[in-house]
Amino acid sequence: KYSDVPPLPETRDEVLALEQTLKADIAKDVILGKSATRDSVINASNQGVLSKKKVVVFATHGLLAGDLPGLDQPALAMALSEQVGSSPLLTLEDVLSLKLNADWVLLSACNTAGADGRVEEAMSGLARGFFYAGSRSLLVTHWSVESESAMKLTTFTFDAYQSNPNIQRAEALRTAMLKVMQEKRFSHPAYWAPYALVGEGGR
């Protein structure tokens, strides 16, 4: 059941921290909680809003084909819509239809770990979808992440990227990892190693 997918309320703090780091407009650029539906993403794309964003963040679960009955492709778990018959899953097929022009797409706190070896295939499928839609880089996590270290790593990454006009995205991520691991409580790789940058692309 989709209702069995656990909520991730702590990701709200991460999104709001990123909003401050990126100097976004919380009223226009941030969609949280029940408002963050599949329809909200598709509508933002159809209206040309997504194509104007340089950073697009999804702080949610990543699902593999077979994780839910009838799910035959990777998907992102979104909020349930009040519209009858509307799916809460932003599937790979949906991602392929999006119109993006983003330097970064961040998939944070994704539950992508799987013991059956399908992780690389599923994530590369989503990655190809976001690249096809117009993203130049994808920042993903290979397993579920602890909320406070996740907030630090992502905000440190974008802070490093914005503060140095010559830095590459991969170097910004590396800088953030080094900064996080310097904190004793987050020194274990479990806190900083799940992050991977897919695609460097042009600036």
Side-chain angles (χ1 to χ4, degrees):
K1 294 181 180 179
Y2 190 73
S3 59
D4 291 337
V5 177
L8 296 169
E10 66 277 7
T11 58
R12 184 185 188 95
D13 294 334
E14 181 183 358
V15 171
L16 293 176
L18 285 169
E19 174 259 326
Q20 294 183 4
T21 298
L22 297 169
K23 298 179 174 59
D25 185 336
I26 191 170
K28 297 180 180 179
D29 300 327
V30 180
I31 302 176
L32 298 169
K34 295 180 179 179
S35 298
T37 62
R38 168 185 177 269
D39 292 340
S40 72
V41 178
I42 294 175
N43 290 339
S45 177
N46 292 340
Q47 294 168 9
V49 175
L50 276 184
S51 63
K52 298 177 182 178
K53 307 302 179 184
K54 294 301 179 185
V55 178
V56 178
V57 177
F58 292 93
T60 184
H61 289 289
L63 300 175
L64 304 175
D67 278 350
L68 292 174
L71 182 61
D72 60 0
Q73 57 185 300
L76 296 176
M78 307 299 293
L80 287 167
S81 174
E82 295 181 356
Q83 184 174 343
V84 178
S86 180
S87 171
L89 300 176
L90 187 73
T91 65
L92 172 58
E93 184 177 354
D94 294 325
V95 171
L96 289 169
S97 72
L98 300 179
K99 297 178 178 64
L100 301 173
N101 186 28
D103 291 332
W104 299 78
V105 169
L106 169 58
L107 304 182
S108 185
C110 293
N111 185 13
T112 56
D116 56 3
R118 294 177 299 169
V119 176
E120 289 82 0
E121 180 180 355
M123 288 310 300
S124 64
L126 279 178
R128 285 197 301 270
F130 279 108
F131 288 138
Y132 180 86
S135 173
R136 284 173 279 283
S137 293
L138 190 67
L139 184 58
V140 300
T141 59
H142 288 304
W143 58 78
S144 297
V145 295
E146 187 275 333
S147 57
E148 186 175 353
S149 59
M151 181 170 61
K152 287 177 177 289
L153 193 139
T154 54
T155 54
F156 288 164
T157 297
F158 286 106
D159 184 62
Y161 187 69
Q162 288 189 311
S163 61
N164 185 346
N166 297 316
I167 198 171
Q168 296 293 309
R169 298 182 187 92
E171 182 61 24
L173 176 59
R174 177 179 176 274
T175 299
M177 286 180 171
L178 291 172
K179 195 170 181 179
V180 169
M181 71 174 70
Q182 286 174 1
E183 295 191 34
K184 186 175 181 179
R185 57 182 173 149
F186 297 138
S187 61
H188 193 280
Y191 293 103
W192 49 266
Y195 291 86
L197 180 71
V198 184
E200 180 67 50
R203 289 186 59 82

